[in-house]
Amino acid sequence: MFRKTKIGLALGAGGARGLAHIGVLKAMERVGIRISFISGSSIGALVGGLYAHCLNAAELENLVPEIMNNDFFRKAGLPLMRQVFHDQPEGFSQRLETFIKKAYVQALIATRPAILDTSTFKAMIDYIVPDINIEDLPLPFCALSTDLRSGRPVLFRHGPLRDAIYASTAIPGAISPLKMNNLLLADGGILNMVPVQPLFSMGADLVYAVNVEMEALFKGNESNMKAIDILYRIEDIKSDVLKEAQLNAANLVLSPKLGRIHWSDFSRATEMIQIGYDEIIKCLDEMRNLARRRIFPLKNRKKFKMEFAFDWIEI
């Protein structure tokens, strides 16, 4: 007698674009695809951890406007991030205001460990995330972070859910790293944009990976490239190569069509949730066909495995 296929869902990093994960979960609930394990990096850890607790995508969807209208969201400085890194003002006064804000942010980068107010961000995490240990969640969950001291990924499978989500969402330069167990923990997306491999170690037979990262397009003018343009492009290339290696370990990669929506643009939450929902409906037949299999090929996971990326420290 065959046992039920155990499905793992890996939710990737991507800032506000990760709100599409809620739509993915909502659609999977509606069509009856049940997951046995869930993992996440950065925003994926936040959505995944909350879902592992409530098991209700509609509840997460209703939580989004509540968070965005809460004083914690404003005081943490997240709207400032959008204005500085995303908005393209037209008028002179708006351009001047944005210039001043960028200068202010640059001063913070040069004088403080983080742009955003750490205590307020921590309070926001405590407000959003329930006070529960990961091992007590009704759905097995893990979150990825990065130890800035050793340069190794850190896998959270036990301990306070709030600590795991803070550590996984601590964007370098924006949010102060979390000091824990002689580790200095920052955003999980540094080394694990989409944490596929941990789900196999937890017992998944197959893994659906959700990639919400914006494609890193080459935008430089070759005749007028500056050193900073080259450095940014090098980082994009390294990040893409690592991400693709991790995605190749998944049985199916889901990529919601988020276009050029910026990682800091939380104002388009409703649209992004719907885009995530639509991606599942589009890929439904393929997902169901995979779930009906009893034997899954391992060649991709062996061929593309990168030991330095998956040799994690477990907490």
Side-chain angles (χ1 to χ4, degrees):
M1 182 176 178
F2 291 115
R3 64 173 174 80
K4 181 182 176 182
T5 302
K6 294 182 179 179
I7 300 172
L9 183 66
L11 304 181
R17 294 165 62 93
L19 293 176
H21 293 319
I22 297 174
V24 166
L25 290 163
K26 182 179 177 181
M28 291 179 73
E29 282 182 10
R30 179 171 179 181
V31 300
I33 297 177
R34 300 188 59 135
I35 56 176
S36 300
F37 310 95
I38 191 166
S39 68
S41 273
S42 199
I43 185 71
L46 176 60
V47 174
L50 292 175
Y51 186 78
H53 175 255
C54 70
L55 303 179
N56 189 322
E59 185 174 324
L60 296 188
E61 187 174 13
N62 293 333
L63 183 62
V64 172
E66 179 184 336
I67 294 170
M68 293 181 62
N69 293 324
N70 194 287
D71 281 345
F72 284 127
F73 186 79
R74 178 179 52 80
K75 290 178 180 177
L78 292 171
L80 173 65
M81 298 290 285
R82 177 179 181 271
Q83 292 168 8
V84 170
F85 294 106
H86 174 62
D87 284 353
Q88 302 295 325
E90 295 297 329
F92 173 77
S93 61
Q94 289 85 3
R95 287 179 182 272
L96 178 61
E97 182 182 356
T98 299
F99 173 80
I100 293 171
K101 287 177 179 176
K102 286 185 177 180
Y104 170 69
V105 167
Q106 289 169 352
L108 293 180
I109 292 173
T111 58
R112 285 170 36 173
I115 297 171
L116 304 184
D117 183 80
T118 302
S119 61
T120 306
F121 184 80
K122 179 67 167 61
M124 185 175 72
I125 292 292
D126 290 347
Y127 174 78
I128 299 169
V129 181
D131 184 12
I132 187 173
N133 283 348
I134 294 172
E135 60 268 30
D136 296 327
L137 293 169
L139 177 65
F141 165 75
C142 71
L144 270 294
S145 183
T146 305
D147 177 29
L148 297 181
R149 290 194 173 113
S150 67
R152 293 172 63 190
V154 176
L155 178 69
F156 280 85
R157 289 190 59 182
H158 304 90
L161 180 62
R162 288 173 174 173
D163 286 348
I165 291 178
Y166 181 99
S168 190
T169 57
I171 304 169
I175 301 163
S176 292
L178 177 67
K179 296 178 181 179
M180 170 187 269
N181 298 344
N182 204 34
L183 304 172
L184 193 60
L185 301 171
D187 196 283
I190 297 171
L191 288 177
N192 283 270
M193 286 299 298
V194 190
V196 172
Q197 201 71 23
L199 292 169
F200 289 114
S201 74
M202 293 170 72
D205 296 312
L206 71 125
V207 170
Y208 302 139
V210 187
N211 173 35
V212 295
E213 181 75 355
M214 187 187 298
E215 183 183 0
L217 301 176
F218 178 63
K219 297 180 290 187
N221 181 346
E222 294 182 19
S223 62
N224 190 33
M225 287 190 73
K226 299 182 174 56
I228 191 66
D229 298 322
I230 297 172
L231 291 173
Y232 281 146
R233 183 56 184 164
I234 289 171
E235 287 304 310
D236 285 343
I237 292 170
K238 289 192 292 185
S239 177
D240 278 354
V241 169
L242 182 57
K243 180 183 69 176
E244 288 304 314
Q246 293 163 351
L247 289 175
N248 271 302
N251 300 92
L252 179 64
V253 178
L254 304 163
S255 299
K257 304 304 182 287
L258 294 162
R260 307 308 292 173
I261 297 177
H262 199 267
W263 64 265
S264 64
D265 193 358
F266 287 88
S267 68
R268 298 173 70 176
T270 301
E271 178 185 354
M272 289 186 281
I273 291 170
Q274 184 61 47
I275 291 172
Y277 184 96
D278 293 342
E279 179 68 12
I280 296 300
I281 300 304
K282 185 189 75 172
C283 299
L284 184 56
D285 288 343
E286 188 175 2
M287 294 175 73
R288 282 177 168 163
N289 289 336
L290 273 173
R292 291 190 187 105
R293 292 185 189 177
R294 300 302 174 184
I295 300 175
F296 302 95
L298 297 174
K299 61 180 180 179
N300 283 350
R301 296 206 289 277
K302 290 181 179 178
K303 181 177 180 181
F304 291 98
K305 185 175 181 182
M306 302 174 72
E307 294 295 341
F308 72 89
F310 299 136
D311 181 23
W312 51 73
I313 301 168
E314 184 166 332
I315 293 180

